[in-house]
Amino acid sequence: MAADRTRLRMDILIASTLVAAGVAIAVLSLHAINAAPQEMAQATQPLQTTPTPEPQKTTAPAESKPGGERPTTPAPQPARPDDEAQKAGAKPVLPPAPAEKTAPPIEKK
């Protein structure tokens, strides 16, 4: 029985020491948070003022006219020319698709 009381007293002593240490750490942390604020570093002002840019002269956009001019660039050519162009000698730009990527024709109902 005496050994149990001694063991209990040691456990209570260790527990109370740990609680006291935790309270001390919490008090020190709160004191550090509430301490006077440290000095803040400030950037210096620029030595010269930057000149203001002159307003750029902008031209008004061209007026849109109905039925106006179309782009003069030619339309892009298809990658595979139609049958008549192939008969005339035009070669397709792309190679033929591999066999596993071609599908059977779609049946009409």
Side-chain angles (χ1 to χ4, degrees):
M1 269 288 203
D4 290 339
R5 285 187 179 178
T6 306
R7 179 81 177 149
L8 180 64
R9 283 185 180 172
M10 277 302 276
D11 288 346
I12 290 175
L13 180 65
I14 291 173
S16 60
T17 305
L18 289 174
V19 168
V23 169
I25 290 173
V27 167
L28 289 174
S29 298
L30 289 174
H31 179 69
I33 290 173
N34 290 332
Q38 296 177 353
E39 293 183 23
M40 301 292 283
Q42 293 182 353
T44 59
Q45 295 292 328
L47 298 177
Q48 298 176 354
T49 59
T50 56
T52 56
E54 295 180 15
Q56 296 180 352
K57 298 176 183 175
T58 57
T59 59
E63 294 182 23
S64 61
K65 301 175 186 175
E69 294 182 16
R70 308 247 342 182
T72 57
T73 57
Q77 297 296 322
R80 299 196 184 282
D82 56 357
D83 292 335
E84 293 177 9
Q86 282 185 352
K87 289 178 186 174
K91 294 182 180 179
V93 177
L94 296 176
E100 66 269 3
K101 295 203 177 188
T102 57
I106 298 175
E107 298 176 6
K108 292 186 177 181
K109 292 183 180 181

